[in-house]
Amino acid sequence: MSDLFLRVHNVRGESKDFNHMGWIQINSYSWGVQRSSRRYLLVSTQFSFEID
């Protein structure tokens, strides 16, 4: 069972987890950060989940 879940407005997921019924169950994720001057910018976020 996954420990990561995503909730999107008006999108019904298939999670059967008691605390996350109807959420999307995430299998994996990754993200990237880029440094520019004295700031950090989130440049990408990717999620992986199953689709029936």
Side-chain angles (χ1 to χ4, degrees), residues 5-18:
F5 300 90
L6 177 65
R7 184 174 162 192
V8 179
H9 183 69
N10 289 333
V11 175
R12 179 98 175 129
E14 296 181 352
S15 172
K16 304 285 189 234
D17 182 82
F18 178 76

Side-chain angles (χ1 to χ4, degrees), residues 5-44:
F5 300 90
L6 177 65
R7 184 174 162 192
V8 179
H9 183 69
N10 289 333
V11 175
R12 179 98 175 129
E14 296 181 352
S15 172
K16 304 285 189 234
D17 182 82
F18 178 76
N19 294 316
H20 300 94
M21 288 285 192
W23 289 35
I24 300 167
Q25 188 170 334
I26 302 297
N27 295 331
S28 67
Y29 74 96
S30 64
W31 55 279
V33 174
Q34 180 178 14
R35 184 176 179 184
S36 174
S37 317
R38 290 178 260 170
R39 300 188 315 181
Y40 291 92
L41 305 170
L42 179 64
V43 293
S44 67

